[in-house]
Amino acid sequence: AQKVTQAQTEISVVEKEDVTLDCVYETRDTTYYLFWYKQPPSGELVFLIRRNSFDEQNEISGRYSWNFQKSTSSFNFTITASQVVDSAVYFCALHTGTASKLTFGTGTRLQVTL
Amino acid sequence: DTEVTQTPKHLVMGMTNKKSLKCEQHMGHRAMYWYKQKAKKPPELMFVYSYEKLSINESVPSRFSPECPNSSLLNLHLHALQPEDSALYLCASSSRIGSGNTIYFGEGSWLTVV
């Protein structure tokens, strides 16, 4: 069975602070894909990144960076110098070869204030 | 801007009404999805279409009836809904089904059943 745990339910930071959103996954498959999505209040789920299980390279995209560590089954997401526009719910998700669907974590609500 | 468009953005319907949610994508994707999302919860898969054929039905009640008229369009017909069906309904698409394919979501349709 597949499982994704986002232990942080809500995080509040002040603008310009760095913040890390944690994601821990469980699967017995050796081939799998991990995703992060952002959901602002408008409702749309915005795709941020996809990472496959064979690629442990960390990735940076502007103020966003992702740290994938197979040894700890974690795929953490860091926002540097957070901005108010980063306020949203962030979902980590897992898709494996044997599963017919994405397994989502419960989401982390990020509130960035001035 | 999302390349998966959904209409209407908001819908209020009575329990005896018949209504439809519509979804369109022009990315050439051959897999399309309906998800349901309740407040403070992750999205839950309802249906998956692959090459215009229903591939997955996650034991959804028959008051929800999906339809895929062609590779670009996906509808969700609603009839005799209950107030507990009020939720955000998200349409999504991917190039194919399977774990290596990123799923792109639309902005969602907010449904209220009164």
Side-chain angles (χ1 to χ4, degrees), chain A residues 93-114:
Chain A
L94 168 68
H95 202 172
T96 73
T98 58
S100 58
K101 60 184 179 182
L102 273 175
T103 299
F104 283 93
T106 51
T108 297
R109 179 176 300 276
L110 175 64
Q111 184 73 37
V112 182
T113 56
L114 293 171

Side-chain angles (χ1 to χ4, degrees), chain A residues 39-96:
Chain A
Q39 188 172 40
S42 61
E44 179 188 359
L45 268 170
V46 179
F47 164 71
L48 296 178
I49 190 170
R50 181 186 78 179
R51 174 66 70 222
N52 75 56
S53 53
F54 300 107
D55 183 2
E56 284 194 75
Q57 271 194 324
N58 292 329
E59 181 151 341
I60 298 174
S61 176
R63 296 183 298 107
Y64 294 172
S65 62
W66 291 267
N67 183 359
F68 176 31
Q69 290 195 331
K70 287 180 74 172
S71 60
T72 55
S73 297
S74 65
F75 187 42
N76 297 336
F77 173 30
T78 297
I79 301 175
T80 302
S82 59
Q83 300 177 1
V84 172
V85 293
D86 296 326
S87 297
V89 179
Y90 291 85
F91 289 99
C92 180
L94 168 68
H95 202 172
T96 73

Side-chain angles (χ1 to χ4, degrees), chain B residues 2-9 20-27 29 31-35 49 67-77 89-94 104-109:
Chain B
T2 181
E3 296 188 69
V4 178
T5 56
Q6 293 185 239
T7 56
K9 180 72 172 172
S20 297
L21 305 180
K22 297 184 183 301
C23 175
E24 187 170 7
Q25 57 87 15
H26 292 289
M27 294 181 281
H29 289 174
M32 296 189 76
Y33 310 76
W34 280 114
Y35 282 79
Y49 274 82
E67 178 196 21
C68 189
N70 60 54
S71 60
S72 300
L73 295 174
L74 186 65
N75 299 321
L76 186 62
H77 303 298
Y89 289 84
L90 291 158
C91 177
S93 71
S94 62
Y104 296 93
F105 289 83
E107 292 185 348
S109 293

